[in-house]
Amino acid sequence: MAPPIKAVIVDDEALARDAIRLRLENEPDIEVVGEAADGSDAVALVKTLQPDLLFLDVQMPVMDGFEVIEHVSVEHLPIVVFVTAHDRYALKAFETHALDYLLKPFTAGRFRAAIDRARIEVARAGDQETHQRLIELLDARRRTREHRPARESGEGAGYLLRLAVKHHQRIALVRVGDIDWIESSANYAHVHVQRQRFVVRMTMGELERRLDPAHFARIHRSTIVQIDRIKDIVAAWHGDFDLTLLDGTVLRLSRNYRDRVLERKKRR
């Protein structure tokens, strides 16, 4: 028998916390392991208890729900069901990124739908897709809040800034700017960061589209590199080229990609 899903409830309104807890009492496979009334307590609870599921109020004083996720995401990123009063920006953001939310006051039917979806998401958490959507929501919000121009500090608008990756049976976050190179592995990819290797559930085609082309280049059908990591390129016996990274890693550069890589490197 599978262990119960550990849930934490975060809302600054006691009645809202009570409403969620009472509904969860009818879910034998979900155990409420903690509650918090503000963002700072929520951060401490999530880091300590590492719940599978987090019911998180968006609008709280001092630290809102998005800031809670930012604070805990480096250590533990649970499946999140956002709870909010009517907030057009938040609702549009959740729908754009396909993230679940409960709009106060929520009905029993809507709560049931959120629970059913949460069970599925918890069961497939290792696939990283929901975590990636959540991180992209936070990054989009940060861009909007900071009014970032199209290109700033090497971060092209709309391109990936962080990746949710799998590492030692947990989800970790990797800054795109820290990536050295990426190699294909069927429908997954291995992301190399300072001699560490992480798994991400994306194809090379998707990564090529979503990484800033000013900073990343495909050098082979199975390889993408960060341009600033390239040390040199030399002709090789196999008819293609050997591309050496700053850390000494030698990769194969296909003739079909050579001119494009050299042109992008020249622009850096």
Side-chain angles (χ1 to χ4, degrees), residues 30-43:
I30 299 178
E31 177 187 1
V32 177
V33 294
E35 297 183 25
D38 59 64
S40 60
D41 284 348
V43 169

Side-chain angles (χ1 to χ4, degrees), residues 176-195:
V176 163
D178 293 334
I179 295 172
D180 298 317
W181 64 287
I182 305 169
E183 63 179 323
S184 174
S185 179
N187 291 326
Y188 294 81
H190 290 151
V191 176
H192 294 260
V193 179
Q194 297 177 354
R195 299 292 186 179

Side-chain angles (χ1 to χ4, degrees), residues 139-212:
D139 287 341
R141 179 175 176 269
R142 183 189 302 173
R143 284 188 179 107
T144 301
R145 188 175 66 246
E146 296 177 1
H147 304 289
R148 291 193 176 193
R151 295 192 184 279
E152 178 182 316
S153 304
E155 296 174 351
Y159 294 111
L160 292 172
L161 299 183
R162 292 181 287 180
L163 285 173
V165 300
K166 193 169 184 179
H167 186 56
H168 296 319
Q169 303 304 310
R170 62 181 289 269
I171 300 298
L173 297 184
V174 168
R175 288 184 62 254
V176 163
D178 293 334
I179 295 172
D180 298 317
W181 64 287
I182 305 169
E183 63 179 323
S184 174
S185 179
N187 291 326
Y188 294 81
H190 290 151
V191 176
H192 294 260
V193 179
Q194 297 177 354
R195 299 292 186 179
Q196 288 187 292
R197 188 175 75 168
F198 305 93
V199 178
V200 62
R201 188 180 172 84
M202 288 189 187
T203 64
M204 295 298 280
E206 183 178 3
L207 284 164
E208 185 178 22
R209 290 192 304 273
R210 305 195 64 196
L211 292 170
D212 189 341

Side-chain angles (χ1 to χ4, degrees), residues 41-106:
D41 284 348
V43 169
L45 268 183
V46 172
K47 287 183 176 181
T48 301
L49 301 175
Q50 300 204 341
D52 307 300
L53 178 60
L54 178 63
F55 291 89
L56 181 62
D57 188 16
V58 174
Q59 297 148 319
M60 295 183 293
V62 184
M63 185 187 299
D64 66 21
F66 297 115
E67 291 170 310
V68 169
I69 296 299
E70 285 285 7
H71 278 79
V72 304
S73 59
V74 176
E75 296 185 27
H76 179 68
L77 198 57
I79 296 300
V80 180
V81 175
F82 289 98
V83 183
T84 181
H86 188 67
D87 180 329
R88 284 191 299 175
Y89 169 76
L91 298 182
K92 183 178 179 181
F94 298 147
E95 290 165 358
T96 298
H97 293 272
L99 294 167
D100 208 0
Y101 64 89
L102 291 170
L103 181 62
K104 300 176 182 178
F106 47 83

